[in-house]
Every structure is written in structure tokens, then in C-alpha cells.
Amino acid sequence: MTTLLVGGLTVLAASALINWEGFQAITSSVEEFLAGAIFLLAVGMTFSAISQMGFFAYLLVNRLALGLFKSKKVWHYVQIVLILFTFFDLVYFRYIAFATPRETWLNYMILPTVLFIASLVFAYIKMRQTTEAAFIPALFLLFVVTTIEAVPALVTNDSVWVILMLSAIFVCNVWQLLWLHRLTTDDKKKSA
């Protein structure tokens, strides 16, 4: 339930920051503001549900891949390759699909670079809270899985929806990732 709330509040806050004109349009009366806020909360909760499905799907895929590759090291290398491919995909394929004649591919480097840097930061935090082996899976989840979950917004290329969806999904994935080890720790270890 907390992840739903995190997603709803993230979209509400992000909408106020990046779409101020749209946010002002719903503040002309109390009724419109409440209706708009409820709508944005519901959108954020929907993005949160997508994030939760992707998070649990990754946990399953991670376990299956560890069994398949029989080595954490090999699975980490595969994830690194997929991270690099996703970065390339976010730049090149979006440039091919959406660039206007006057745009350069450098414009399409901003989104994946910001997402990658934020993913690095939170993967490092996860690693510091748990073990070094958690860094690559955390980075993979925060960069690749977040990107996959945000495909509906990425294919529309509407900057407001891309930012709203990516920010909500990313924050929800961070929330789930940083809480996972706390929720799965034995009660005996907690009391020790």
C-alpha cells in the first residue's frame, strides 16, 4: 500500500513541478483542484502498480537467471550488457523515431544519462545497505526495468508524460528496492 501512495504523491508533486500551467488550470476552484488531485493520485497509483508488477517480475527473472547461469558473475555480466543496450536504445532508437531535422542525437542523451546517474546513486545506496553483490542487480532494476515499465510513455514522446511516468516508476522502484532487505530480514537477526 505504501508503494501505491508513493507513486500517487510522486505524480502529484512532479505534475506541480513540470506542468505548472496544467496544475494551475485545476486550481481555479476547490472542486476542480480536488478532482485534478484525485486524478493525478490515481494516475500515480496506476504507475505504481506497473512498478510493482515489474519489480516482482524482476525478482522472479533474477532467481531463474541465477539458476540458469549457475554463476552470479555471469549473470552480472549479462545484466551489464543489457544495461548498455538499454542506454543505447534510449538514445539511438528514440532519436531515429522522433528526431526532427534540426535535432541532434545529443538531445536524446539527456534522459538516459539522468536516469542512469540516478540509478547509479541508488544502486550504490542499496549496495552500502546490503552487500557489494547487490549493486549490479539494483542498477539493472532501476535502469532497465524502469525503462521497460515506462515504454507506454516513451513511445508517445510527450515530455510531460515521459517525466511523470518515469519519475513515478523510478521512485516506486527505489522505494521497493530500498525496503526489500528490511522486509525479508529474519526477526531473529533484527533482535540480535
Side-chain angles (χ1 to χ4, degrees):
M1 291 302 287
T2 57
T3 307
L4 285 172
L5 188 60
V6 166
L9 293 175
T10 301
V11 166
L12 193 60
S15 180
L17 292 173
I18 65 164
N19 191 16
W20 185 246
E21 294 167 359
F23 198 75
Q24 283 180 321
I26 66 169
T27 58
S28 61
S29 72
V30 175
E31 294 85 13
E32 284 185 28
F33 175 75
L34 287 175
I38 290 169
F39 171 75
L40 290 172
L41 280 169
V43 167
M45 288 179 175
T46 302
F47 295 161
S48 171
I50 293 168
S51 166
Q52 290 177 58
M53 287 187 291
F55 184 77
F56 290 113
Y58 174 70
L59 292 178
L60 175 67
V61 167
N62 190 46
R63 278 289 149 207
L64 291 173
L66 286 171
L68 177 70
F69 292 114
K70 307 270 191 240
S71 164
K72 276 187 181 180
K73 197 173 194 176
V74 172
W75 175 228
H76 284 182
Y77 287 134
V78 169
Q79 289 179 97
I80 290 168
V81 168
L82 292 172
I83 289 166
L84 294 173
F85 178 76
T86 302
F87 192 94
F88 172 78
D89 181 34
L90 278 174
V91 176
Y92 182 73
F93 291 124
R94 289 187 71 238
Y95 171 72
I96 295 298
F98 302 116
T100 61
R102 296 178 194 260
E103 280 185 307
T104 68
W105 62 271
L106 292 174
N107 295 340
Y108 291 87
M109 285 286 292
I110 297 168
L111 175 72
T113 302
V114 169
L115 182 61
F116 185 73
I117 290 170
S119 299
L120 280 173
V121 168
F122 287 105
Y124 179 77
I125 292 169
K126 176 68 174 184
M127 179 188 74
R128 297 288 295 170
Q129 291 177 351
T130 57
T131 66
E132 285 185 24
F135 181 76
I136 297 298
L139 181 62
F140 183 86
L141 171 79
L142 294 176
F143 189 72
V144 176
V145 176
T146 298
T147 301
I148 292 168
E149 293 166 345
V151 163
L154 292 170
V155 298
T156 64
N157 204 36
D158 180 346
S159 60
V160 171
W161 281 107
V162 168
I163 292 171
L164 286 179
M165 190 170 198
L166 264 178
S167 63
I169 289 173
F170 182 79
V171 170
C172 288
N173 281 340
V174 167
W175 175 261
Q176 294 171 100
L177 181 70
L178 295 181
W179 272 98
L180 180 64
H181 66 277
R182 292 180 180 105
L183 298 174
T184 58
T185 303
D186 261 354
D187 288 334
K188 292 177 186 175
K189 289 181 183 176
K190 288 180 185 177
S191 63

